[in-house]
Amino acid sequence: MKSTENYSDNIKRLKQAIDNADAILIGAGAGLSASAGYTYDGVRFQKYFADFNQKYGISDMYSGGFYPYETLEEYWAWWSRHIYCNRYDQPQNEVYQMLLKLIHGKDYFVLTTNVDHLFQINHFDKKRLFYTQGDYGLWQCSKACHQKTYDNETAVRKMIAEQQNMKIPSELIPYCPVCGAPMTMNLRCDNSFVQDEGWYQANIRYEDFVRRHKVSKLLLFELGVGNNTPVIIKYSFWKMTVQNPNAIYSCVNLSDAYAPTEIKRQSVCLDGDIGTILKTVS
Protein backbone atom coordinates (compact mmCIF):
# COMPACT_ATOMS: atom_id res chain seq x y z
CA MET A 1 0.00 0.00 0.00
CA LYS A 2 1.30 3.46 -0.87
CA SER A 3 1.75 5.99 1.91
CA THR A 4 -0.46 9.05 2.31
CA GLU A 5 2.60 11.24 1.77
CA ASN A 6 3.43 9.59 -1.55
CA TYR A 7 -0.20 9.90 -2.62
CA SER A 8 -0.27 13.61 -1.71
CA ASP A 9 3.04 14.19 -3.48
CA ASN A 10 1.79 12.46 -6.61
CA ILE A 11 -1.41 14.51 -6.61
CA LYS A 12 0.75 17.64 -6.56
CA ARG A 13 2.97 16.26 -9.34
CA LEU A 14 -0.06 15.44 -11.47
CA LYS A 15 -1.49 18.95 -10.99
CA GLN A 16 1.86 20.40 -11.99
CA ALA A 17 2.08 18.12 -15.04
CA ILE A 18 -1.37 19.23 -16.22
CA ASP A 19 -0.58 22.91 -15.66
CA ASN A 20 2.79 22.71 -17.44
CA ALA A 21 1.71 20.55 -20.36
CA ASP A 22 1.73 21.97 -23.86
CA ALA A 23 -0.59 19.12 -24.82
CA ILE A 24 -2.43 16.23 -23.17
CA LEU A 25 -2.99 12.81 -24.71
CA ILE A 26 -5.69 10.94 -22.79
CA GLY A 27 -5.70 7.16 -22.96
CA ALA A 28 -9.03 5.89 -21.65
CA GLY A 29 -9.97 2.34 -20.76
CA ALA A 30 -12.95 0.61 -19.19
CA GLY A 31 -11.92 1.74 -15.71
CA LEU A 32 -12.87 5.32 -16.55
CA SER A 33 -16.47 4.44 -17.39
CA ALA A 34 -16.65 2.10 -14.40
CA SER A 35 -15.58 4.97 -12.14
CA ALA A 36 -18.33 7.05 -13.74
CA GLY A 37 -20.88 4.43 -12.66
CA TYR A 38 -21.32 2.53 -15.91
CA THR A 39 -20.74 -0.95 -14.53
CA TYR A 40 -21.72 -4.14 -16.36
CA ASP A 41 -23.03 -6.09 -13.39
CA GLY A 42 -24.89 -5.66 -10.12
CA VAL A 43 -27.89 -3.34 -9.79
CA ARG A 44 -27.39 -1.73 -13.17
CA PHE A 45 -27.35 -5.14 -14.90
CA GLN A 46 -30.50 -6.26 -13.10
CA LYS A 47 -32.32 -3.08 -14.10
CA TYR A 48 -32.07 -3.98 -17.79
CA PHE A 49 -31.52 -7.75 -17.89
CA ALA A 50 -33.29 -9.42 -14.96
CA ASP A 51 -35.26 -11.66 -17.34
CA PHE A 52 -32.11 -12.85 -19.14
CA ASN A 53 -30.52 -13.50 -15.77
CA GLN A 54 -33.50 -15.57 -14.66
CA LYS A 55 -33.78 -17.58 -17.87
CA TYR A 56 -30.12 -18.19 -18.70
CA GLY A 57 -28.21 -17.38 -15.52
CA ILE A 58 -26.33 -14.57 -17.27
CA SER A 59 -24.86 -12.37 -14.55
CA ASP A 60 -23.23 -9.47 -16.41
CA MET A 61 -23.50 -7.55 -19.67
CA TYR A 62 -20.11 -8.64 -20.96
CA SER A 63 -20.78 -12.39 -20.86
CA GLY A 64 -24.33 -11.85 -22.14
CA GLY A 65 -22.93 -10.45 -25.36
CA PHE A 66 -21.30 -13.83 -26.12
CA TYR A 67 -24.24 -16.05 -25.19
CA PRO A 68 -25.35 -18.37 -28.07
CA TYR A 69 -28.99 -17.27 -28.34
CA GLU A 70 -31.15 -19.64 -30.35
CA THR A 71 -32.78 -16.99 -32.53
CA LEU A 72 -31.90 -13.62 -33.99
CA GLU A 73 -35.08 -12.26 -32.43
CA GLU A 74 -33.67 -13.02 -28.97
CA TYR A 75 -30.12 -12.01 -29.90
CA TRP A 76 -31.31 -8.55 -30.92
CA ALA A 77 -33.57 -8.22 -27.87
CA TRP A 78 -30.40 -8.58 -25.81
CA TRP A 79 -28.24 -6.36 -27.96
CA SER A 80 -30.80 -3.59 -28.40
CA ARG A 81 -31.04 -3.28 -24.61
CA HIS A 82 -27.26 -3.47 -24.29
CA ILE A 83 -26.79 -0.71 -26.87
CA TYR A 84 -29.57 1.41 -25.42
CA CYS A 85 -28.39 1.38 -21.81
CA ASN A 86 -24.71 1.87 -22.66
CA ARG A 87 -24.99 4.26 -25.59
CA TYR A 88 -28.29 6.12 -25.86
CA ASP A 89 -29.79 6.20 -22.36
CA GLN A 90 -26.87 8.23 -21.01
CA PRO A 91 -26.96 11.70 -19.47
CA GLN A 92 -23.85 13.80 -19.04
CA ASN A 93 -21.62 12.44 -16.30
CA GLU A 94 -19.76 14.17 -13.48
CA VAL A 95 -16.51 12.20 -13.90
CA TYR A 96 -16.26 12.97 -17.61
CA GLN A 97 -17.23 16.58 -16.98
CA MET A 98 -14.43 16.92 -14.40
CA LEU A 99 -11.96 15.54 -16.91
CA LEU A 100 -13.15 17.94 -19.61
CA LYS A 101 -12.82 20.88 -17.24
CA LEU A 102 -9.36 19.73 -16.17
CA ILE A 103 -7.99 19.85 -19.73
CA HIS A 104 -9.80 23.06 -20.72
CA GLY A 105 -7.59 25.32 -22.81
CA LYS A 106 -5.09 22.57 -23.62
CA ASP A 107 -4.37 20.99 -26.98
CA TYR A 108 -5.71 17.50 -26.27
CA PHE A 109 -6.59 14.22 -27.93
CA VAL A 110 -8.38 11.10 -26.65
CA LEU A 111 -7.37 7.57 -27.58
CA THR A 112 -9.84 5.08 -26.15
CA THR A 113 -10.71 1.40 -26.25
CA ASN A 114 -14.15 2.22 -24.83
CA VAL A 115 -17.12 1.88 -27.16
CA ASP A 116 -19.79 3.70 -25.13
CA HIS A 117 -19.49 7.16 -26.73
CA LEU A 118 -19.36 8.89 -23.34
CA PHE A 119 -16.74 11.37 -24.51
CA GLN A 120 -19.05 12.78 -27.16
CA ILE A 121 -22.06 12.70 -24.83
CA ASN A 122 -20.03 14.88 -22.49
CA HIS A 123 -19.07 17.30 -25.27
CA PHE A 124 -15.46 16.40 -25.91
CA ASP A 125 -14.60 17.55 -29.45
CA LYS A 126 -15.40 14.60 -31.74
CA LYS A 127 -12.48 15.57 -34.00
CA ARG A 128 -10.20 14.86 -31.02
CA LEU A 129 -11.47 11.32 -30.38
CA PHE A 130 -10.29 7.97 -31.71
CA TYR A 131 -12.43 4.95 -30.77
CA THR A 132 -10.08 2.17 -31.83
CA GLN A 133 -12.32 -0.76 -30.91
CA GLY A 134 -15.65 0.30 -32.39
CA ASP A 135 -18.86 1.97 -31.27
CA TYR A 136 -22.08 0.59 -29.78
CA GLY A 137 -23.90 3.01 -32.07
CA LEU A 138 -22.74 1.30 -35.27
CA TRP A 139 -23.57 -1.93 -37.05
CA GLN A 140 -21.67 -3.72 -39.79
CA CYS A 141 -22.15 -6.73 -42.02
CA SER A 142 -21.41 -9.91 -40.04
CA LYS A 143 -19.41 -11.18 -43.03
CA ALA A 144 -17.64 -7.82 -43.45
CA CYS A 145 -18.48 -7.95 -47.14
CA HIS A 146 -17.83 -4.20 -47.42
CA GLN A 147 -16.02 -1.62 -45.31
CA LYS A 148 -18.95 0.49 -44.19
CA THR A 149 -20.81 0.92 -40.89
CA TYR A 150 -24.40 1.97 -40.20
CA ASP A 151 -25.90 4.17 -37.48
CA ASN A 152 -28.33 2.10 -35.42
CA GLU A 153 -30.12 4.55 -33.10
CA THR A 154 -33.50 4.61 -34.86
CA ALA A 155 -33.57 0.82 -35.27
CA VAL A 156 -32.46 0.18 -31.67
CA ARG A 157 -35.10 2.47 -30.21
CA LYS A 158 -37.74 0.65 -32.26
CA MET A 159 -36.47 -2.73 -31.02
CA ILE A 160 -36.67 -1.49 -27.44
CA ALA A 161 -40.22 -0.25 -27.92
CA GLU A 162 -41.57 -3.35 -29.68
CA GLN A 163 -39.82 -6.33 -28.05
CA GLN A 164 -41.86 -8.76 -26.00
CA ASN A 165 -40.93 -11.91 -24.09
CA MET A 166 -37.22 -11.28 -24.72
CA LYS A 167 -37.67 -11.16 -28.49
CA ILE A 168 -37.96 -8.45 -31.12
CA PRO A 169 -40.39 -8.76 -34.05
CA SER A 170 -38.79 -10.71 -36.91
CA GLU A 171 -39.24 -7.82 -39.31
CA LEU A 172 -36.89 -5.69 -37.20
CA ILE A 173 -33.89 -8.02 -37.61
CA PRO A 174 -31.21 -6.03 -39.47
CA TYR A 175 -29.63 -7.50 -42.60
CA CYS A 176 -26.73 -6.31 -44.71
CA PRO A 177 -28.00 -4.18 -47.62
CA VAL A 178 -25.21 -5.53 -49.85
CA CYS A 179 -25.00 -9.31 -49.31
CA GLY A 180 -28.08 -10.01 -47.17
CA ALA A 181 -26.18 -11.54 -44.24
CA PRO A 182 -27.30 -10.60 -40.74
CA MET A 183 -25.81 -7.41 -39.38
CA THR A 184 -23.67 -7.45 -36.25
CA MET A 185 -22.04 -5.03 -33.82
CA ASN A 186 -19.12 -2.90 -35.00
CA LEU A 187 -16.91 -4.11 -32.14
CA ARG A 188 -13.39 -5.49 -32.52
CA CYS A 189 -13.67 -9.10 -31.42
CA ASP A 190 -12.17 -10.88 -34.46
CA ASN A 191 -10.71 -10.24 -37.91
CA SER A 192 -14.11 -9.28 -39.36
CA PHE A 193 -14.10 -5.89 -37.60
CA VAL A 194 -14.85 -3.14 -40.12
CA GLN A 195 -12.58 -0.10 -40.03
CA ASP A 196 -14.67 2.39 -41.98
CA GLU A 197 -13.73 5.79 -43.37
CA GLY A 198 -14.49 7.49 -40.05
CA TRP A 199 -12.12 5.09 -38.27
CA TYR A 200 -9.28 5.87 -40.68
CA GLN A 201 -9.87 9.63 -40.49
CA ALA A 202 -9.71 9.48 -36.67
CA ASN A 203 -6.50 7.46 -36.91
CA ILE A 204 -4.95 10.10 -39.16
CA ARG A 205 -5.87 12.87 -36.70
CA TYR A 206 -4.39 10.84 -33.83
CA GLU A 207 -1.12 10.23 -35.70
CA ASP A 208 -0.95 13.93 -36.60
CA PHE A 209 -1.38 14.90 -32.93
CA VAL A 210 1.42 12.52 -31.88
CA ARG A 211 3.70 13.81 -34.65
CA ARG A 212 3.13 17.45 -33.69
CA HIS A 213 3.99 16.78 -30.07
CA LYS A 214 6.98 14.45 -30.38
CA VAL A 215 9.20 16.83 -28.38
CA SER A 216 6.52 18.90 -26.60
CA LYS A 217 5.80 18.97 -22.90
CA LEU A 218 3.29 16.19 -23.41
CA LEU A 219 1.23 14.64 -20.62
CA LEU A 220 0.32 11.05 -21.47
CA PHE A 221 -2.71 10.71 -19.21
CA GLU A 222 -3.73 7.05 -18.88
CA LEU A 223 -7.06 6.45 -17.14
CA GLY A 224 -8.45 3.03 -16.26
CA VAL A 225 -6.54 1.02 -18.85
CA GLY A 226 -6.29 -2.69 -18.07
CA ASN A 227 -4.20 -5.46 -19.58
CA ASN A 228 -6.65 -6.92 -22.09
CA THR A 229 -5.25 -4.86 -24.99
CA PRO A 230 -2.20 -3.05 -23.51
CA VAL A 231 -0.52 -2.54 -26.87
CA ILE A 232 -3.10 0.07 -27.96
CA ILE A 233 -2.65 2.59 -25.14
CA LYS A 234 -0.34 1.47 -22.33
CA TYR A 235 2.63 0.22 -24.38
CA SER A 236 2.43 3.03 -26.90
CA PHE A 237 2.32 5.61 -24.06
CA TRP A 238 5.41 4.04 -22.48
CA LYS A 239 7.22 4.14 -25.81
CA MET A 240 6.35 7.81 -26.39
CA THR A 241 7.57 8.65 -22.89
CA VAL A 242 10.92 6.93 -23.50
CA GLN A 243 11.35 8.79 -26.79
CA ASN A 244 10.45 12.23 -25.43
CA PRO A 245 12.44 13.53 -22.42
CA ASN A 246 9.87 16.34 -22.03
CA ALA A 247 6.96 13.91 -21.64
CA ILE A 248 5.25 12.88 -18.40
CA TYR A 249 3.40 9.58 -18.15
CA SER A 250 0.56 9.46 -15.62
CA CYS A 251 -1.26 6.22 -14.85
CA VAL A 252 -4.44 6.49 -12.76
CA ASN A 253 -6.06 3.18 -11.97
CA LEU A 254 -7.79 1.33 -9.17
CA SER A 255 -5.11 -0.91 -7.58
CA ASP A 256 -3.26 -1.29 -10.89
CA ALA A 257 -1.21 1.89 -11.40
CA TYR A 258 2.41 1.32 -12.38
CA ALA A 259 5.15 2.29 -14.81
CA PRO A 260 8.27 0.48 -16.01
CA THR A 261 11.63 1.32 -14.44
CA GLU A 262 12.86 2.95 -17.66
CA ILE A 263 10.39 5.84 -17.29
CA LYS A 264 9.97 5.93 -13.52
CA ARG A 265 11.48 9.43 -13.21
CA GLN A 266 8.98 10.70 -15.84
CA SER A 267 5.96 8.97 -14.30
CA VAL A 268 3.17 9.81 -11.88
CA CYS A 269 1.17 6.75 -10.81
CA LEU A 270 -1.92 6.96 -8.60
CA ASP A 271 -3.82 3.98 -7.23
CA GLY A 272 -7.44 4.80 -6.55
CA ASP A 273 -10.84 5.65 -7.95
CA ILE A 274 -10.44 7.83 -11.03
CA GLY A 275 -13.37 10.13 -10.20
CA THR A 276 -12.04 10.76 -6.71
CA ILE A 277 -8.56 11.53 -8.00
CA LEU A 278 -9.86 13.87 -10.72
CA LYS A 279 -11.89 15.71 -8.10
CA THR A 280 -8.83 16.07 -5.89
CA VAL A 281 -6.69 17.34 -8.76
CA SER A 282 -9.34 19.81 -9.99
mmCIF file of all heavy atoms in Angstrom, residues 31 39 42 85 99 147 198 210 225:
data_model
loop_
_atom_site.group_PDB
_atom_site.id
_atom_site.type_symbol
_atom_site.label_atom_id
_atom_site.label_comp_id
_atom_site.label_asym_id
_atom_site.label_seq_id
_atom_site.Cartn_x
_atom_site.Cartn_y
_atom_site.Cartn_z
ATOM 1 N N GLY A 31 -11.904 1.262 -17.083
ATOM 2 C CA GLY A 31 -11.919 1.738 -15.708
ATOM 3 C C GLY A 31 -12.467 3.144 -15.562
ATOM 4 O O GLY A 31 -13.016 3.491 -14.506
ATOM 5 N N THR A 39 -21.184 0.418 -14.771
ATOM 6 C CA THR A 39 -20.744 -0.949 -14.532
ATOM 7 C C THR A 39 -21.588 -1.925 -15.343
ATOM 8 O O THR A 39 -22.703 -1.617 -15.767
ATOM 9 C CB THR A 39 -20.853 -1.286 -13.037
ATOM 10 O OG1 THR A 39 -22.199 -1.025 -12.611
ATOM 11 C CG2 THR A 39 -19.887 -0.423 -12.231
ATOM 12 N N GLY A 42 -24.215 -6.207 -11.288
ATOM 13 C CA GLY A 42 -24.888 -5.656 -10.123
ATOM 14 C C GLY A 42 -26.254 -5.051 -10.412
ATOM 15 O O GLY A 42 -27.001 -5.525 -11.279
ATOM 16 N N CYS A 85 -28.780 0.957 -23.160
ATOM 17 C CA CYS A 85 -28.389 1.380 -21.811
ATOM 18 C C CYS A 85 -26.946 1.860 -21.741
ATOM 19 O O CYS A 85 -26.584 2.607 -20.828
ATOM 20 C CB CYS A 85 -28.642 0.269 -20.795
ATOM 21 S SG CYS A 85 -27.515 -1.131 -20.859
ATOM 22 N N LEU A 99 -13.095 15.725 -16.020
ATOM 23 C CA LEU A 99 -11.955 15.538 -16.912
ATOM 24 C C LEU A 99 -11.925 16.612 -17.989
ATOM 25 O O LEU A 99 -10.862 17.176 -18.290
ATOM 26 C CB LEU A 99 -12.016 14.139 -17.544
ATOM 27 C CG LEU A 99 -10.895 13.793 -18.525
ATOM 28 C CD1 LEU A 99 -9.525 13.883 -17.864
ATOM 29 C CD2 LEU A 99 -11.127 12.391 -19.107
ATOM 30 N N GLN A 147 -16.594 -2.392 -46.416
ATOM 31 C CA GLN A 147 -16.016 -1.619 -45.309
ATOM 32 C C GLN A 147 -16.853 -0.373 -45.011
ATOM 33 O O GLN A 147 -16.415 0.761 -45.196
ATOM 34 C CB GLN A 147 -14.573 -1.248 -45.648
ATOM 35 C CG GLN A 147 -13.641 -2.434 -45.786
ATOM 36 C CD GLN A 147 -13.520 -3.233 -44.486
ATOM 37 O OE1 GLN A 147 -13.048 -2.721 -43.479
ATOM 38 N NE2 GLN A 147 -13.944 -4.487 -44.509
ATOM 39 N N GLY A 198 -14.580 6.696 -41.277
ATOM 40 C CA GLY A 198 -14.495 7.486 -40.052
ATOM 41 C C GLY A 198 -13.379 6.997 -39.143
ATOM 42 O O GLY A 198 -12.683 7.806 -38.516
ATOM 43 N N VAL A 210 0.191 13.111 -32.426
ATOM 44 C CA VAL A 210 1.418 12.525 -31.883
ATOM 45 C C VAL A 210 2.641 13.114 -32.580
ATOM 46 O O VAL A 210 3.642 13.459 -31.931
ATOM 47 C CB VAL A 210 1.390 10.988 -32.027
ATOM 48 C CG1 VAL A 210 2.751 10.395 -31.681
ATOM 49 C CG2 VAL A 210 0.302 10.387 -31.138
ATOM 50 N N VAL A 225 -6.918 1.963 -17.787
ATOM 51 C CA VAL A 225 -6.538 1.024 -18.848
ATOM 52 C C VAL A 225 -6.054 -0.279 -18.221
ATOM 53 O O VAL A 225 -5.136 -0.281 -17.400
ATOM 54 C CB VAL A 225 -5.433 1.620 -19.739
ATOM 55 C CG1 VAL A 225 -4.945 0.593 -20.761
ATOM 56 C CG2 VAL A 225 -5.949 2.867 -20.448
#
